[in-house]
Amino acid sequence: MALRHLTSLSPVTLCSLRRRFTHKPFSLSVSASMASSFRKALVPIANGTEPMEAVITSDVLRRAGADVTVASVENQLQVDACHGVKILADALISDCADTGFDLISLPGGMPGAATLRDCGILESIVKMHAADGRLYAAICAAPAVALGSWGLLKGLKATCYPSFMEQLSSTATTVESRVQQDGKVVTSRGPGTAMEFSVSLVEQLYGKEKADEVSGPLVMRSNLEDKFIMAELNPMDWKCDNPQILVPIANGTEEMEAVIIIDVLRRAKAKVVVASVEDKLEIVASRKVELVADVLLDEAVKHSYDLVVLPGGLGGAKAFASSEKLVNLLKKQRESNKPYGAICASPALVLEPHGLLKGKKATAFPAMCSKLSDQSGVENRVLVDGNLITSRGPGTSMEFALAIVEKFFGHGKAQELAKVMLFSSQ
């Protein structure tokens, strides 16, 4: 088995969130009553929002039990986020003006962060929220573009996406931490730090025990000082010009996995088609984030693909397994020796029962690995066996997507994207 070291990463220990972040003491104490209480969070989004940052935050907070409202600052619920990802918000921001929240967290992305900044209703909500001494947060461009512009970082340490650090320096004391907490504000750097950022928000709302409980099933990296590794058996060349990639989604699909795969592959300039296996384009993902597909599967299966890759999520995987058209397309990929792949529950619930892992080694979500007939490769975070690629869960999705980028575009491109997304420092 060949172990491919994609890139080395900056140090951070996920199991010890408090030690990871440089911060002043957080004045909002985390008591037993707080940990068990109902918490409300607002995640505003706009056209041009970075979808990974918005979706990861919403998903992780909902896993902790928070009541998350994803609110559009546009004139309609559907938001066209970066990289062609379409998200349906739960509400318009005007519907949230009279609601109290325990947390407001702004995603980045441009021009999304600028649109958030220019939304008067949102500015008023966040300023009143901050004045009441409640927790607020921002990631990527949003700390500099929105919070800084509103004067909400004065005298505080904060971080943001590297290219906005100069702008941030005029409104805050800048630091280069992956996640930075100072008082009641938490800031972070980009898509590659979004999961750490989100788990840190869970810790501030509910305590460290809940944060650890949430982070465990995400299958996050144990130490970012380690190199993330793609294990490969029976290497074959996947490279082609302008790869056509199909990403099916369904009700119950794990939204972090779907969005990370779509976003990263489109950053690499792959032609990604998102197809709904339901009878409409809109799907409700596993943590209730609503996504909008490009086409229905009935239309998508009329075309050929260089890769068909399945996100996980229990409900979504079951829908994939029961879709005769999707299963037949996957079988055609295998028979043609063309790449196909799956992450989380999908290797065990879709590929295995339909004979698509026969003679192959694969990995899957830890609780699902017992369903694999060959479990000798399950400890790998990303495993490639010829034309098959599999992975474990939300916390391995970035590595999974970058491994696909490497197979189609080369190691250099994967490294470049990892650095741009702040998943890697090198």
Side-chain angles (χ1 to χ4, degrees), residues 13-21 60 63-64 198-204 206-220:
T13 303
L14 296 171
C15 295
S16 182
L17 289 166
R18 291 189 192 277
R19 290 198 299 272
R20 281 194 287 142
F21 311 134
V60 171
R63 285 170 179 260
S198 302
V199 173
S200 76
L201 297 179
V202 172
E203 181 171 347
Q204 299 314 316
Y206 292 97
K208 187 177 187 303
E209 184 177 352
K210 173 61 76 172
D212 291 343
E213 176 189 320
V214 169
S215 65
L218 295 177
V219 203
M220 296 171 71

Side-chain angles (χ1 to χ4, degrees), residues 6 16 26 47 98 206 230 314 327 329 340 355 369 417:
L6 295 182
S16 182
F26 185 55
N47 293 334
D98 298 323
Y206 292 97
M230 173 180 75
L314 186 60
V327 170
L329 181 61
Y340 62 104
C369 286
L417 286 180

Side-chain angles (χ1 to χ4, degrees), residues 47 60 74 125 178 193-194 200 224 242 245 261 285 295 339 359 384 395 417-418 425:
N47 293 334
V60 171
E74 306 292 346
I125 290 172
R178 290 175 67 84
T193 68
S200 76
L224 292 181
N242 303 312
I245 298 175
I261 292 166
V295 296
V384 179
L417 286 180
S425 61

Side-chain angles (χ1 to χ4, degrees), residues 78 84-88 249 274 281-283 290-294:
Q78 181 170 316
V85 176
K86 304 179 187 70
I87 303 171
L88 275 179
I249 58 174
V274 182
L281 295 176
E282 299 83 4
I283 66 100
E290 296 187 54
L291 302 174
V292 183
D294 303 319

Side-chain angles (χ1 to χ4, degrees), residues 216-291:
L218 295 177
V219 203
M220 296 171 71
R221 291 175 292 175
S222 60
N223 194 323
L224 292 181
E225 191 172 8
D226 296 338
K227 295 176 179 178
F228 71 87
I229 295 171
M230 173 180 75
E232 185 163 20
L233 298 163
N234 306 308
M236 63 173 280
D237 186 7
W238 290 19
K239 290 185 176 66
C240 64
D241 294 330
N242 303 312
Q244 310 289 303
I245 298 175
L246 178 68
V247 181
I249 58 174
N251 292 331
T253 286
E254 214 308 310
E255 47 267 79
M256 287 191 282
E257 294 166 359
V259 168
I260 290 171
I261 292 166
I262 295 162
D263 188 316
V264 173
L265 294 179
R266 284 179 172 162
R267 284 171 179 260
K269 306 305 180 187
K271 169 68 174 177
V272 179
V273 176
V274 182
S276 169
V277 304
E278 308 296 341
D279 58 5
K280 59 181 182 178
L281 295 176
E282 299 83 4
I283 66 100
V284 180
S286 61
R287 288 335 185 271
K288 308 306 178 186
V289 171
E290 296 187 54
L291 302 174

Side-chain angles (χ1 to χ4, degrees), residues 7 9-12 14 20-21 50-54 56-57 108 139-141 160-162 177-179 188-199 220-221 224 228 260 263-264 267 381 394-399 402 416-425:
T7 185
L9 304 164
S10 58
V12 69
L14 296 171
R20 281 194 287 142
F21 311 134
E50 169 41 59
M52 287 191 279
E53 294 162 0
I56 291 170
T57 302
I139 188 170
C140 195
C160 68
Y161 193 75
S177 307
R178 290 175 67 84
V179 179
S188 190
R189 308 213 78 187
T193 68
M195 204 167 289
E196 302 150 61
F197 170 69
S198 302
V199 173
M220 296 171 71
R221 291 175 292 175
L224 292 181
F228 71 87
I260 290 171
D263 188 316
V264 173
R267 284 171 179 260
R381 293 176 65 80
T396 69
S397 297
M398 188 76 78
E399 294 150 89
L402 288 168
E416 175 192 326
L417 286 180
K419 185 175 182 179
V420 166
M421 294 185 296
L422 281 300
F423 192 69
S424 162
S425 61

